[in-house]
Amino acid sequence: MMHFADSLTFSGRKVVAAWAALPFPALSGSSLPDILSAHQQDVPWKLLSSWREQKVSCCFAQSVVLRGICPEKPTSCPGQPPSPLHSCESPEQVLQQFLHSQFPGAFSTSHVLQQPCDTQPPFPQFFSPLLTRRGFLLDKPQGFSSAGVESVPVLAALQSCPGLRSLLSGLRRELRARRCSRFSTAGLEQDDFQEALEELETLSQCYETGFGADGSEDEGDSD
């Protein structure tokens, strides 16, 4: 995982954010272009990393893997022209085109696998009754328990994005508030503690976009 994260980081960055959709929100029988065309305003996966921003509008680099979506024949909504996604020749091209439209200028890699994620026991059965046994969405609850969900389509992503600045700055503030005395019992010296704080600050600055928006919350946060 460390080497994989390294492949998505550059210019002094070392941290990536994790995103996932489990299950990936797909209606049974829908094609990938149909599914992603319904999410043109926002990506259909959620942030797993711990910071308060839940929407990312840009990123530096990302790697996305989608599994469990069968290559159904693309369709389009009645009365609406096909989107550019419907003109792609493969699921991989569809996902790549979607990523480019959502994050223009970002370095993106994507993979689409047909095999879904197996969710049979002992996998935790926490699924909504609006899922089929194969993890696709229904218009109304099914007649059997959610424990009957045997597999689900899944999307997972790692992303190097400006929002990580606030996460790293928040971690630095939290550590500084605890002071070195909290860590001295573990053998951490004052100089080492201060150096770690400075490294966190330097790392967080690597995620600035240059427009000033990402650093506004850190004004006045100086030693």
Side-chain angles (χ1 to χ4, degrees):
M1 182 61 72
M2 180 181 66
H3 295 298
F4 185 42
D6 285 344
S7 69
L8 298 174
T9 53
F10 43 84
S11 300
R13 305 180 189 110
K14 300 179 181 180
V15 181
V16 292
W19 300 74
L22 194 162
F24 184 71
L27 292 171
S28 181
S30 297
S31 68
L32 185 56
D34 297 335
I35 297 166
L36 294 179
S37 293
H39 294 277
Q40 293 292 341
Q41 302 302 317
D42 197 7
V43 294
W45 52 87
K46 301 297 183 182
L47 179 68
L48 301 181
S49 300
S50 177
W51 90 77
R52 64 172 176 264
E53 296 178 44
Q54 292 297 311
K55 183 177 180 180
V56 172
S57 57
C58 66
C59 73
F60 308 114
Q62 61 186 338
S63 179
V64 181
V65 176
L66 173 63
R67 55 186 297 182
I69 300 295
C70 296
E72 302 286 347
K73 181 179 179 181
T75 61
S76 58
C77 297
Q80 295 184 1
S83 72
L85 299 177
H86 290 82
S87 63
C88 296
E89 297 181 356
S90 67
E92 289 79 8
Q93 290 181 1
V94 172
L95 182 56
Q96 191 72 14
Q97 175 67 28
F98 178 78
L99 294 175
H100 283 315
S101 66
Q102 293 289 326
F103 306 100
F107 170 75
S108 300
T109 64
S110 59
H111 301 278
V112 179
L113 309 175
Q114 290 192 25
Q115 182 180 5
C117 176
D118 183 21
T119 58
Q120 297 185 62
F123 195 95
Q125 296 300 310
F126 47 65
F127 299 107
S128 164
L130 289 173
L131 292 183
T132 68
R133 294 184 184 275
R134 298 301 177 187
F136 293 97
L137 295 174
L138 295 169
D139 293 329
K140 58 182 179 180
Q142 58 191 359
F144 56 88
S145 168
S146 61
V149 177
E150 299 174 353
S151 64
V152 293
V154 176
L155 183 144
L158 290 179
Q159 195 177 74
S160 174
C161 55
L164 286 166
R165 171 169 168 75
S166 62
L167 182 147
L168 294 168
S169 295
L171 176 61
R172 176 179 176 273
R173 287 194 298 270
E174 182 178 347
L175 290 174
R176 190 180 61 181
R178 296 184 179 185
R179 302 300 178 185
C180 184
S181 58
R182 295 284 190 93
F183 304 95
S184 60
T185 55
L188 183 65
E189 299 293 337
Q190 173 67 35
D191 291 344
D192 294 334
F193 178 74
Q194 188 61 37
E195 181 180 355
L197 293 179
E198 293 173 357
E199 290 178 351
L200 271 176
E201 176 62 17
T202 300
L203 181 59
S204 71
Q205 291 174 356
C206 293
Y207 290 86
E208 291 182 351
T209 59
F211 296 103
D214 295 298
S216 59
E217 68 179 76
D218 299 317
E219 292 181 359
D221 182 27
S222 59
D223 292 324

